[in-house]
mmCIF file of all heavy atoms in Angstrom:
data_model
loop_
_atom_site.group_PDB
_atom_site.id
_atom_site.type_symbol
_atom_site.label_atom_id
_atom_site.label_comp_id
_atom_site.label_asym_id
_atom_site.label_seq_id
_atom_site.Cartn_x
_atom_site.Cartn_y
_atom_site.Cartn_z
ATOM 1 N N ALA A 787 -3.555 -6.645 13.772
ATOM 2 C CA ALA A 787 -4.311 -6.447 15.032
ATOM 3 C C ALA A 787 -4.798 -7.784 15.631
ATOM 4 O O ALA A 787 -4.803 -7.955 16.812
ATOM 5 C CB ALA A 787 -5.480 -5.516 14.741
ATOM 6 N N GLU A 788 -5.301 -8.663 14.688
ATOM 7 C CA GLU A 788 -5.955 -9.863 15.264
ATOM 8 C C GLU A 788 -5.070 -11.159 15.183
ATOM 9 O O GLU A 788 -5.387 -12.065 15.998
ATOM 10 C CB GLU A 788 -7.266 -10.149 14.364
ATOM 11 C CG GLU A 788 -8.266 -9.066 14.505
ATOM 12 C CD GLU A 788 -9.587 -9.329 13.760
ATOM 13 O OE1 GLU A 788 -9.530 -10.040 12.779
ATOM 14 O OE2 GLU A 788 -10.629 -8.885 14.232
ATOM 15 N N GLU A 789 -4.154 -11.199 14.296
ATOM 16 C CA GLU A 789 -3.368 -12.385 14.125
ATOM 17 C C GLU A 789 -1.865 -12.282 14.544
ATOM 18 O O GLU A 789 -1.133 -13.206 14.468
ATOM 19 C CB GLU A 789 -3.464 -12.920 12.666
ATOM 20 C CG GLU A 789 -4.835 -13.054 12.165
ATOM 21 C CD GLU A 789 -5.698 -13.998 13.031
ATOM 22 O OE1 GLU A 789 -5.169 -15.025 13.534
ATOM 23 O OE2 GLU A 789 -6.925 -13.884 13.021
ATOM 24 N N GLY A 790 -1.520 -11.087 15.038
ATOM 25 C CA GLY A 790 -0.167 -10.953 15.534
ATOM 26 C C GLY A 790 0.930 -10.782 14.521
ATOM 27 O O GLY A 790 2.072 -10.887 14.881
ATOM 28 N N THR A 791 0.568 -10.518 13.249
ATOM 29 C CA THR A 791 1.599 -10.272 12.254
ATOM 30 C C THR A 791 2.143 -8.818 12.408
ATOM 31 O O THR A 791 1.614 -8.042 13.246
ATOM 32 C CB THR A 791 1.082 -10.416 10.801
ATOM 33 O OG1 THR A 791 -0.106 -9.506 10.708
ATOM 34 C CG2 THR A 791 0.598 -11.829 10.564
ATOM 35 N N SER A 792 3.167 -8.522 11.716
ATOM 36 C CA SER A 792 3.780 -7.247 11.869
ATOM 37 C C SER A 792 4.088 -6.629 10.521
ATOM 38 O O SER A 792 5.187 -6.161 10.257
ATOM 39 C CB SER A 792 5.132 -7.323 12.733
ATOM 40 O OG SER A 792 6.009 -8.207 12.183
ATOM 41 N N TYR A 793 3.115 -6.638 9.635
ATOM 42 C CA TYR A 793 3.302 -6.126 8.244
ATOM 43 C C TYR A 793 3.443 -4.596 8.360
ATOM 44 O O TYR A 793 2.667 -3.954 8.907
ATOM 45 C CB TYR A 793 2.133 -6.550 7.423
ATOM 46 C CG TYR A 793 1.941 -8.011 7.192
ATOM 47 C CD1 TYR A 793 0.749 -8.646 7.435
ATOM 48 C CD2 TYR A 793 2.996 -8.793 6.739
ATOM 49 C CE1 TYR A 793 0.568 -9.975 7.249
ATOM 50 C CE2 TYR A 793 2.866 -10.140 6.514
ATOM 51 C CZ TYR A 793 1.604 -10.727 6.818
ATOM 52 O OH TYR A 793 1.478 -12.126 6.560
ATOM 53 N N ASP A 794 4.475 -4.147 7.640
ATOM 54 C CA ASP A 794 4.678 -2.734 7.457
ATOM 55 C C ASP A 794 3.952 -2.422 6.080
ATOM 56 O O ASP A 794 4.600 -2.618 5.065
ATOM 57 C CB ASP A 794 6.137 -2.348 7.385
ATOM 58 C CG ASP A 794 6.344 -0.805 7.145
ATOM 59 O OD1 ASP A 794 5.361 -0.118 7.086
ATOM 60 O OD2 ASP A 794 7.551 -0.388 7.120
ATOM 61 N N TYR A 795 2.764 -1.940 6.097
ATOM 62 C CA TYR A 795 1.978 -1.795 4.926
ATOM 63 C C TYR A 795 1.762 -0.310 4.533
ATOM 64 O O TYR A 795 0.986 -0.043 3.638
ATOM 65 C CB TYR A 795 0.586 -2.455 5.165
ATOM 66 C CG TYR A 795 -0.254 -1.671 6.171
ATOM 67 C CD1 TYR A 795 -1.188 -0.775 5.840
ATOM 68 C CD2 TYR A 795 -0.170 -2.095 7.536
ATOM 69 C CE1 TYR A 795 -1.926 -0.095 6.769
ATOM 70 C CE2 TYR A 795 -0.949 -1.433 8.503
ATOM 71 C CZ TYR A 795 -1.834 -0.479 8.115
ATOM 72 O OH TYR A 795 -2.603 0.230 9.053
ATOM 73 N N HIS A 796 2.541 0.579 5.119
ATOM 74 C CA HIS A 796 2.340 1.955 4.784
ATOM 75 C C HIS A 796 2.484 2.238 3.270
ATOM 76 O O HIS A 796 1.757 3.103 2.640
ATOM 77 C CB HIS A 796 3.372 2.870 5.549
ATOM 78 C CG HIS A 796 3.122 4.335 5.302
ATOM 79 N ND1 HIS A 796 2.212 5.064 6.034
ATOM 80 C CD2 HIS A 796 3.710 5.171 4.384
ATOM 81 C CE1 HIS A 796 2.182 6.335 5.605
ATOM 82 N NE2 HIS A 796 3.075 6.397 4.625
ATOM 83 N N LYS A 797 3.340 1.486 2.593
ATOM 84 C CA LYS A 797 3.517 1.709 1.205
ATOM 85 C C LYS A 797 2.280 1.335 0.383
ATOM 86 O O LYS A 797 2.060 1.898 -0.747
ATOM 87 C CB LYS A 797 4.725 0.933 0.629
ATOM 88 C CG LYS A 797 4.569 -0.553 0.543
ATOM 89 C CD LYS A 797 5.834 -1.153 -0.088
ATOM 90 C CE LYS A 797 5.766 -2.702 -0.251
ATOM 91 N NZ LYS A 797 7.006 -3.278 -0.859
ATOM 92 N N ILE A 798 1.447 0.422 0.882
ATOM 93 C CA ILE A 798 0.189 0.153 0.235
ATOM 94 C C ILE A 798 -0.731 1.407 0.232
ATOM 95 O O ILE A 798 -1.423 1.705 -0.752
ATOM 96 C CB ILE A 798 -0.514 -1.060 0.837
ATOM 97 C CG1 ILE A 798 0.383 -2.313 0.748
ATOM 98 C CG2 ILE A 798 -1.876 -1.288 0.186
ATOM 99 C CD1 ILE A 798 -0.233 -3.535 1.388
ATOM 100 N N LEU A 799 -0.769 2.076 1.344
ATOM 101 C CA LEU A 799 -1.520 3.355 1.378
ATOM 102 C C LEU A 799 -0.923 4.407 0.448
ATOM 103 O O LEU A 799 -1.666 5.057 -0.234
ATOM 104 C CB LEU A 799 -1.528 3.868 2.793
ATOM 105 C CG LEU A 799 -2.438 3.052 3.821
ATOM 106 C CD1 LEU A 799 -2.175 3.501 5.236
ATOM 107 C CD2 LEU A 799 -3.854 3.159 3.443
ATOM 108 N N ASP A 800 0.369 4.489 0.422
ATOM 109 C CA ASP A 800 0.987 5.451 -0.507
ATOM 110 C C ASP A 800 0.681 5.033 -1.960
ATOM 111 O O ASP A 800 0.408 5.912 -2.792
ATOM 112 C CB ASP A 800 2.462 5.469 -0.319
ATOM 113 C CG ASP A 800 2.945 6.249 0.889
ATOM 114 O OD1 ASP A 800 2.140 7.084 1.422
ATOM 115 O OD2 ASP A 800 4.080 6.071 1.384
ATOM 116 N N TRP A 801 0.742 3.711 -2.299
ATOM 117 C CA TRP A 801 0.376 3.337 -3.648
ATOM 118 C C TRP A 801 -1.088 3.594 -3.966
ATOM 119 O O TRP A 801 -1.427 3.930 -5.126
ATOM 120 C CB TRP A 801 0.578 1.815 -3.722
ATOM 121 C CG TRP A 801 2.105 1.373 -3.799
ATOM 122 C CD1 TRP A 801 3.126 2.249 -4.037
ATOM 123 C CD2 TRP A 801 2.588 0.112 -3.643
ATOM 124 N NE1 TRP A 801 4.333 1.542 -4.058
ATOM 125 C CE2 TRP A 801 4.031 0.159 -3.782
ATOM 126 C CE3 TRP A 801 2.049 -1.136 -3.340
ATOM 127 C CZ2 TRP A 801 4.800 -0.901 -3.594
ATOM 128 C CZ3 TRP A 801 2.931 -2.278 -3.175
ATOM 129 C CH2 TRP A 801 4.275 -2.146 -3.405
ATOM 130 N N THR A 802 -1.968 3.487 -3.004
ATOM 131 C CA THR A 802 -3.351 3.811 -3.193
ATOM 132 C C THR A 802 -3.552 5.292 -3.573
ATOM 133 O O THR A 802 -4.353 5.594 -4.422
ATOM 134 C CB THR A 802 -4.196 3.418 -1.916
ATOM 135 O OG1 THR A 802 -4.088 2.041 -1.720
ATOM 136 C CG2 THR A 802 -5.657 3.825 -2.148
ATOM 137 N N PHE A 803 -2.794 6.148 -2.880
ATOM 138 C CA PHE A 803 -3.085 7.587 -2.969
ATOM 139 C C PHE A 803 -2.186 8.318 -3.981
ATOM 140 O O PHE A 803 -2.654 9.286 -4.587
ATOM 141 C CB PHE A 803 -2.949 8.248 -1.576
ATOM 142 C CG PHE A 803 -4.134 8.073 -0.685
ATOM 143 C CD1 PHE A 803 -4.180 6.938 0.171
ATOM 144 C CD2 PHE A 803 -5.109 9.002 -0.649
ATOM 145 C CE1 PHE A 803 -5.282 6.803 1.031
ATOM 146 C CE2 PHE A 803 -6.180 8.837 0.233
ATOM 147 C CZ PHE A 803 -6.276 7.726 1.053
ATOM 148 N N ASP A 804 -0.968 7.865 -4.170
ATOM 149 C CA ASP A 804 0.059 8.790 -4.772
ATOM 150 C C ASP A 804 -0.088 9.056 -6.266
ATOM 151 O O ASP A 804 0.507 9.946 -6.746
ATOM 152 C CB ASP A 804 1.436 8.244 -4.458
ATOM 153 C CG ASP A 804 1.860 8.635 -3.008
ATOM 154 O OD1 ASP A 804 1.112 9.366 -2.358
ATOM 155 O OD2 ASP A 804 3.002 8.114 -2.654
ATOM 156 N N GLY A 805 -0.770 8.176 -6.972
ATOM 157 C CA GLY A 805 -0.901 8.305 -8.420
ATOM 158 C C GLY A 805 0.454 7.905 -9.154
ATOM 159 O O GLY A 805 0.747 8.460 -10.208
ATOM 160 N N THR A 806 1.242 7.024 -8.485
ATOM 161 C CA THR A 806 2.489 6.595 -9.101
ATOM 162 C C THR A 806 2.427 5.213 -9.748
ATOM 163 O O THR A 806 3.438 4.635 -10.000
ATOM 164 C CB THR A 806 3.630 6.605 -7.968
ATOM 165 O OG1 THR A 806 3.189 5.693 -6.923
ATOM 166 C CG2 THR A 806 3.862 7.949 -7.425
ATOM 167 N N SER A 807 1.130 4.730 -9.961
ATOM 168 C CA SER A 807 1.054 3.388 -10.542
ATOM 169 C C SER A 807 1.694 3.331 -11.892
ATOM 170 O O SER A 807 1.647 4.277 -12.638
ATOM 171 C CB SER A 807 -0.469 3.096 -10.648
ATOM 172 O OG SER A 807 -0.604 1.768 -11.222
ATOM 173 N N VAL A 808 2.398 2.174 -12.144
ATOM 174 C CA VAL A 808 2.897 1.921 -13.513
ATOM 175 C C VAL A 808 1.947 1.026 -14.273
ATOM 176 O O VAL A 808 1.090 0.406 -13.660
ATOM 177 C CB VAL A 808 4.288 1.264 -13.372
ATOM 178 C CG1 VAL A 808 5.262 2.189 -12.649
ATOM 179 C CG2 VAL A 808 4.193 -0.072 -12.590
ATOM 180 N N CYS A 809 2.135 0.995 -15.544
ATOM 181 C CA CYS A 809 1.306 0.288 -16.495
ATOM 182 C C CYS A 809 -0.068 1.120 -16.577
ATOM 183 O O CYS A 809 -0.327 1.775 -17.600
ATOM 184 C CB CYS A 809 1.003 -1.139 -16.160
ATOM 185 S SG CYS A 809 0.217 -2.021 -17.532
ATOM 186 N N ARG A 810 -0.881 1.046 -15.554
ATOM 187 C CA ARG A 810 -1.986 1.967 -15.501
ATOM 188 C C ARG A 810 -1.602 3.284 -14.965
ATOM 189 O O ARG A 810 -1.813 3.608 -13.806
ATOM 190 C CB ARG A 810 -3.204 1.342 -14.734
ATOM 191 C CG ARG A 810 -4.512 2.129 -14.952
ATOM 192 C CD ARG A 810 -5.694 1.290 -14.727
ATOM 193 N NE ARG A 810 -6.867 1.897 -15.322
ATOM 194 C CZ ARG A 810 -8.108 1.411 -15.089
ATOM 195 N NH1 ARG A 810 -8.286 0.440 -14.370
ATOM 196 N NH2 ARG A 810 -9.113 2.049 -15.684
ATOM 197 N N GLU A 811 -0.948 4.014 -15.804
ATOM 198 C CA GLU A 811 -0.148 5.169 -15.330
ATOM 199 C C GLU A 811 -1.045 6.165 -14.610
ATOM 200 O O GLU A 811 -2.113 6.523 -15.040
ATOM 201 C CB GLU A 811 0.451 5.907 -16.492
ATOM 202 C CG GLU A 811 1.241 7.131 -16.150
ATOM 203 C CD GLU A 811 1.763 7.849 -17.415
ATOM 204 O OE1 GLU A 811 1.367 7.480 -18.536
ATOM 205 O OE2 GLU A 811 2.466 8.856 -17.197
ATOM 206 N N GLY A 812 -0.548 6.558 -13.384
ATOM 207 C CA GLY A 812 -1.166 7.634 -12.673
ATOM 208 C C GLY A 812 -2.399 7.247 -11.847
ATOM 209 O O GLY A 812 -3.009 8.111 -11.288
#
């Protein structure tokens, strides 16, 4: 929004919510 980048970060939100983390399982 502020610096003009175009990061597709939706997967970070999925990683936050989905409970699919590895090593620290779930």
Side-chain angles (χ1 to χ4, degrees):
E788 294 185 331
E789 307 300 332
T791 56
S792 55
Y793 296 128
D794 181 1
Y795 65 91
H796 185 84
K797 71 177 181 181
I798 300 178
L799 289 170
D800 283 341
W801 286 344
T802 297
F803 281 89
D804 281 355
T806 57
S807 179
V808 298
C809 191
R810 192 154 196 188
E811 181 186 3

